[in-house]
């Protein structure tokens, strides 16, 4: 059995076991789409904090993760200024955790091994519903604006001029749970004259980076990707913008959400928020990597992720361990 299959089977088993009735909150009158481990009595679509104070976490070391990227080692250095700031404000040690997949990141928070994390747009609802993640911040500009676009790239000399020309081509999607890399294309492309898996065969590349590099190399004829990712790739010189062009782009979507485990103590939650909202991007590696961003902006999952939930609903997405394990 291939190693990736073994890992997915193991993850599915672990998630299924922890979702058993033995872990369910029997006294919960409302949980919406949340897993049986969590309650949502206030209706804000995220997990409530445990009412039993003995179940609240106040770890001596906080573990922070950023959404899976092509080179985690680079991002460990980029996030270091923020890690130091987070440690100073909270008074705790902070460890950067390099995750290899969206499913691994969700499982880490669900199991209590991950306390604070940046989850990609599409996987955010999985983290909310399966791991008790509570999104509270997003990167933005001084004027409060934030977001990224779904862009469809092809080679500069390609005969693909409009979306309908994707028919019969080799098109890379990123992963099943990705918003701009899979779910949004499946929801939006049919109205543009082309239906994934019907008019063209979907090839999953594994990441936005791999999709873009595959287009540049000619491995794929086109790929839907997140604008913020390909912009950063261009800034690092990972591809020549002259060699590609955009066929189509969407209206903006929310970017990576930053959230924390639902069961941290109230005092620790406030300190974590203070660290995010007081961090100064100017002159840091983080500010250089995420151009056009100057601060973290407060958000709620209920409001800012409404359009993403709509897209996922149109795709028949269910926030289950099986859906996550298929990522």
């Amino acid at each position: 059995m291939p190693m990736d299959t073994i890992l997915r089977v193991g993850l599915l088993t672990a998630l299924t076991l922890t979702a058993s009735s033995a872990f369910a909150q029997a006294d919960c009158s409302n949980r919406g789409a949340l897993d049986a481990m969590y309650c949502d009595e206030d209706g804000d679509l995220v997990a409530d904090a445990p009412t039993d104070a003995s179940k609240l976490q106040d770890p001596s070391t906080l573990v922070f993760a950023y959404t899976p990227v092509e080179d985690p080692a680079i991002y460990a250095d980029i996030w270091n200024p923020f890690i130091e700031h987070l440690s100073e404000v909270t008074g705790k040690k902070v460890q950067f955790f390099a995750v290899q997949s969206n499913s691994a990141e969700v499982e880490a928070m669900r199991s209590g091994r991950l306390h604070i994390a940046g989850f990609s747009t599409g996987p955010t609802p999985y983290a909310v519903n399966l791991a008790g993640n509570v999104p509270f911040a997003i990167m933005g500009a001084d004027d409060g604006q934030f977001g990224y676009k779904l862009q469809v790239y092809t080679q500069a000399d390609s005969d693909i001029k409009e979306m309908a020309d994707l028919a019969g081509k080799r098109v890379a999607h990123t992963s099943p749970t990705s918003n701009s890399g899979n779910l949004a294309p499946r929801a939006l492309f049919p109205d543009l004259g082309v239906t994934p898996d019907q008019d063209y065969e979907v090839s999953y590349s594994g990441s936005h980076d791999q999709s873009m590099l595959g287009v540049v190399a000619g491995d794929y004829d086109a790929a839907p990707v997140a604008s913020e990712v390909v912009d950063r790739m261009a800034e690092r010189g990972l591809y020549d913008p002259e060699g590609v062009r955009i066929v189509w782009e969407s209206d903006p979507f929310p970017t990576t959400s930053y959230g924390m485990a639902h069961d941290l103590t109230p005092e620790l939650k406030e300190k974590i928020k203070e660290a995010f909202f007081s961090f100064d991007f100017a002159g840091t590696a983080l500010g250089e990597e995420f151009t056009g961003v100057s601060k973290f902006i407060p958000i709620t999952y209920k409001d800012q992720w409404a359009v993403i939930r709509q897209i996922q609903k149109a795709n028949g997405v269910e926030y289950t361990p099986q859906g996550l394990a298929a990522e």
Side-chain angles (χ1 to χ4, degrees):
M1 183 181 294
M3 181 56 68
D4 61 341
T5 302
I6 294 173
L7 291 173
R8 289 182 181 181
V9 170
L11 172 62
L12 176 57
T13 302
L15 289 173
T16 302
L17 287 175
T18 54
S20 68
S21 58
F23 290 84
Q25 295 195 30
D27 58 346
C28 182
S29 63
N30 179 58
R31 60 172 50 94
L34 297 176
D35 184 82
M37 292 173 64
Y38 314 110
C39 280
D40 180 23
E41 300 290 7
D42 59 6
D44 62 358
L45 304 186
V46 298
D48 299 335
T51 54
D52 183 348
S54 68
K55 295 182 179 179
L56 294 172
Q57 289 194 78
D58 189 17
S60 59
T61 298
L62 293 172
V63 180
F64 171 83
Y66 179 62
T67 181
V69 290
E70 182 66 19
D71 192 343
I74 292 178
Y75 275 81
D77 293 335
I78 288 171
W79 277 99
N80 192 58
F82 175 77
I83 296 294
E84 292 179 350
H85 178 71
L86 180 60
S87 178
E88 181 179 348
V89 174
T90 61
K92 295 180 179 292
K93 295 180 181 178
V94 181
Q95 176 184 344
F96 183 86
F97 175 43
V99 294
Q100 301 301 317
S101 68
N102 295 316
S103 55
E105 187 177 19
V106 171
E107 195 278 331
M109 180 168 283
R110 180 184 176 93
S111 66
R113 295 180 288 111
L114 178 61
H115 308 114
I116 312 164
F119 287 97
S120 296
T121 306
T124 287
Y126 283 92
V128 167
N129 290 289
L130 292 178
N133 176 53
V134 181
F136 65 89
I138 197 168
M139 289 182 179
D142 281 332
D143 61 2
Q145 296 297 308
F146 60 84
Y148 73 97
K149 295 180 178 181
L150 155 59
Q151 296 176 325
V152 178
Y153 276 88
T154 188
Q155 294 86 12
D157 59 356
S158 169
D159 60 356
I160 299 172
K161 305 300 181 183
E162 57 186 31
M163 290 298 291
D165 295 335
L166 294 180
K169 300 296 186 179
R170 296 167 297 168
V171 181
H173 286 205
T174 59
S175 65
T177 61
S178 173
N179 178 62
S180 56
N182 184 56
L183 297 177
R186 291 184 182 278
L188 302 176
F189 285 6
D191 287 342
L192 300 173
V194 64
T195 300
D197 277 331
Q198 179 177 311
D199 295 317
Y200 65 78
E201 181 180 353
V202 172
S203 296
Y204 288 114
S205 69
S207 70
H208 294 275
D209 308 61
Q210 292 285 13
S211 287
M212 194 63 184
L213 294 176
V215 169
V216 171
D219 297 330
Y220 309 117
D221 295 307
V225 290
S227 60
E228 60 173 357
V229 176
V230 296
D231 288 347
R232 291 198 300 272
M233 291 176 67
E235 289 164 6
R236 294 203 302 270
L238 297 181
Y239 76 94
D240 180 5
E242 296 289 328
V244 296
R245 58 180 168 79
I246 296 174
V247 180
W248 178 85
E249 65 180 11
S250 71
D251 292 331
F253 296 121
T255 58
T256 297
S257 68
Y258 295 88
M260 67 182 91
H262 77 296
D263 56 355
L264 301 180
T265 64
E267 296 79 12
L268 180 54
K269 287 179 178 177
E270 288 306 311
K271 284 292 184 181
I272 291 171
K273 288 183 179 180
E274 178 185 340
F276 271 82
F277 298 135
S278 64
F279 181 70
D280 186 0
F281 280 73
T284 69
L286 200 61
E288 293 175 1
E289 176 69 10
F290 295 91
T291 56
V293 167
S294 59
K295 61 182 180 180
F296 286 103
I297 298 171
I299 55 98
T300 66
Y301 172 72
K302 186 174 185 178
D303 291 340
Q304 275 68 45
W305 255 254
V307 63
I308 304 305
R309 294 194 301 274
Q310 181 180 4
I311 288 172
Q312 294 181 338
K313 183 178 180 180
N315 280 276
V317 170
E318 295 182 353
Y319 307 120
T320 63
Q322 292 82 1
L324 179 62
E327 188 269 330

